[in-house]
C-alpha cells in the first residue's frame, strides 16, 4: 500500500499558488505526487513547480505538448529543467515529435541529474466512442451504431480502445516511457507493449454514493466518460492514477484521500 500511495498523482487544478498551497498543507506527509496542468501553469508558471518541489513531492507537468518536433524538443527541455518528473505530449503529434520530446527530456535529465519520464496522451478520457468516431474518423452521429449508454467496461469502448492502443504503439516505437490512457485501455496496452511500458490513468471516480463531489462541479464534473475506481485502475495495471476533483472538490480533501486509500486497500 505504501508503494501505491506514491503512485497516486493529485491534480492541482487551481488558478492560484495560494489554493495549491492550501491543498499541499492539508495533505502534507500523506501525498507524494502532484500534477500541474494548464490552469495552474498558465496562472502561475514555473513557481507552481517550485512550490510542489518545496514540499518534497514529485511533479507531473501535464501540458500535453503538441507542435512541430523542434518546438516540442525545446519545450520539454525547459520543462525538465524546471524539475518535472513526468512530462507529457500528444501521441497524435507523430513519431518525430515524440522522439524530439524524448531527446529534450534526456538532455534536461542529464543537466538535472534525475530521470524524467516522457509519456504520451493517447485518447482523452473525456472522449466517448461516439466522440472518437466523430473526431478521428469523420463519422456523423446518425451513422454510428453506439453501445448502450449504461453499458460499462472495455466492450463498450472498442473504437477508443483500438485507437489508444495504436497511439500507444507509436509512443513505444518513439522510445517514450509510457502513455496516459483510461483504465479500460491499460490491460490491453500492457499485454501488447509489455509491463515496463507505463500507464498513467486519469478519469478516477469513487463508486461510493457519498464520495467527493466530482460529479457536480459547475456542471462539468461529469465530463470524464471512461472512468474507473482507484482499485479498478490499479487492478487493470495502471502504474499511476491521476485524481482531481474527487479530492480537490471535496469538503475535506484529507478525508477524500482517505477514501481513495481505503478503496485501494479493499
Ligand atoms: O477532476 P478529474 O479527476 O477528472 O481530473 C483529471 C485530471 O487529469 C485533469 O487535470 C485532466 O486535465 C487530467 N487528464 C485527463 N485525461 C488525460 C490527461 C490528463 O483527465 N488524458
Amino acid at each position: 500500500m505504501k508503494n501505491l500511495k506514491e503512485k497516486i498523482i493529485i491534480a492541482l487544478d487551481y488558478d492560484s499558488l495560494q489554493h495549491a498551497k492550501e491543498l499541499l498543507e492539508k495533505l502534507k506527509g500523506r501525498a507524494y505526487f502532484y500534477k500541474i496542468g494548464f490552469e495552474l501553469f498558465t496562472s502561475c508558471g514555473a513557481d507552481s513547480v517550485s512550490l510542489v518541489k518545496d514540499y518534497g513531492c514529485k511533479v507531473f507537468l501535464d501540458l500535453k505538448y503538441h507542435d512541430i518536433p523542434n518546438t516540442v524538443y525545446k519545450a520539454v527541455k525547459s520543462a525538465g529543467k524546471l524539475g518535472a518528473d513526468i512530462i507529457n505530449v500528444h501521441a497524435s503529434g507523430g513519431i518525430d515529435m515524440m522522439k524530439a520530446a524524448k531527446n529534450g527530456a534526456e538532455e534536461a535529465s542529464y543537466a538535472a541529474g534525475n530521470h524524467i519520464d516522457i509519456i504520451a496522451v493517447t485518447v482523452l478520457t473525456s472522449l466517448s466512442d461516439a466522440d472518437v468516431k466523430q473526431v478521428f474518423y469523420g463519422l456523423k452521429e446518425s451513422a454510428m451504431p453506439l453501445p448502450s449508454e449504461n453499458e460499462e467496461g472495455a466492450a463498450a469502448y472498442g473504437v477508443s480502445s483500438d485507437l489508444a492502443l495504436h497511439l500507444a504503439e507509436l509512443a513505444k516505437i518513439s522510445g517514450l516511457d509510457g502513455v496516459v490512457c483510461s483504465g479500460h485501455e491499460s490491460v490491453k496496452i500492457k499485454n501488447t507493449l509489455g509491463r515496463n511500458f507505463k500507464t498513467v490513468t486519469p478519469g478516477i471516480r469513487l463508486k461510493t454514493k457519498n464520495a467527493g463531489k466530482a460529479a457536480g462541479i459547475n456542471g462539468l464534473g461529469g465530463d470524464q466518460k471512461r472512468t474507473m475506481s482507484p482499485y479498478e485502475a490499479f487492478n487493470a495495471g495502471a502504474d499511476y492514477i491521476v485524481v482531481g476533483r474527487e479530492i480537490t472538490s471535496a469538503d475535506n480533501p484529507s478525508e477524500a484521500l482517505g477514501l481513495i486509500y481505503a478503496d485501494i486497500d479493499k
Side-chain angles (χ1 to χ4, degrees):
M1 173 66 178
K2 182 177 182 301
N3 195 24
L4 283 185
K5 280 184 181 173
E6 289 166 17
K7 306 290 178 184
I8 297 170
I9 304 177
I10 299 165
L12 284 174
D13 289 331
Y14 297 112
D15 63 0
S16 74
L17 288 182
Q18 187 51 38
H19 281 124
K21 197 170 179 204
E22 277 165 25
L23 190 75
L24 284 156
E25 273 298 323
K26 282 177 189 160
L27 304 182
K28 201 171 169 180
R30 301 186 62 221
Y32 308 94
F33 218 132
Y34 287 91
K35 184 175 82 66
I36 295 171
F38 292 142
E39 188 182 8
L40 189 60
F41 199 80
T42 305
S43 305
C44 309
D47 288 349
S48 56
V49 179
S50 307
L51 175 70
V52 176
K53 290 275 153 181
D54 287 347
Y55 276 79
C57 297
K58 289 189 170 179
V59 171
F60 168 15
L61 195 56
D62 177 21
L63 298 179
K64 301 184 181 71
Y65 296 120
H66 190 177
D67 209 315
I68 58 172
N70 186 54
T71 304
V72 169
Y73 159 75
K74 288 181 174 173
V76 168
K77 201 168 155 184
S78 297
K81 285 182 182 165
L82 293 181
D85 299 280
I86 302 180
I87 299 167
N88 62 355
V89 300
H90 268 286
S92 51
I95 288 177
D96 286 348
M97 191 207 77
M98 286 190 275
K99 281 184 174 169
K102 186 68 190 169
N103 284 342
E106 275 169 0
E107 286 180 27
S109 290
Y110 185 70
N114 65 325
H115 176 78
I116 301 168
D117 276 334
I118 294 288
I119 59 173
V121 175
T122 54
V123 179
L124 293 172
T125 42
S126 59
L127 296 181
S128 67
D129 244 12
D131 298 325
V132 168
K133 286 182 181 178
Q134 189 180 54
V135 174
F136 295 99
Y137 301 99
L139 293 177
K140 290 208 173 69
E141 203 164 335
S142 57
M144 298 174 206
L146 292 176
S148 140
E149 287 279 289
N150 298 322
E151 202 175 342
E152 281 193 39
Y157 302 104
V159 177
S160 323
S161 201
D162 288 350
L163 182 60
L165 181 60
H166 168 65
L167 291 169
E169 278 171 342
L170 294 187
K172 174 122 197 224
I173 290 167
S174 309
L176 297 207
D177 301 282
V179 286
V180 184
C181 65
S182 95
H184 297 278
E185 283 111 36
S186 226
V187 179
K188 214 168 162 186
I189 288 172
K190 288 270 180 189
N191 286 343
T192 314
L193 302 177
R195 283 180 50 198
N196 292 337
F197 192 66
K198 296 173 186 163
T199 55
V200 178
T201 298
I204 299 297
R205 294 290 179 268
L206 284 162
K207 300 234 153 134
T208 44
K209 216 166 122 207
N210 297 320
K213 288 183 178 172
I217 297 309
N218 301 329
L220 290 173
D223 54 355
Q224 298 283 21
K225 308 264 173 55
R226 303 186 337 275
T227 63
M228 270 195 179
S229 72
Y231 171 81
E232 286 171 338
F234 279 126
N235 212 31
D239 293 277
Y240 296 93
I241 61 169
V242 175
V243 185
R245 286 161 289 185
E246 285 289 11
I247 290 177
T248 54
S249 301
D251 292 330
N252 184 336
S254 182
E255 220 169 73
L257 182 60
L259 290 175
I260 306 276
Y261 288 163
D263 188 73
I264 293 163
D265 257 345
K266 77 188 174 193

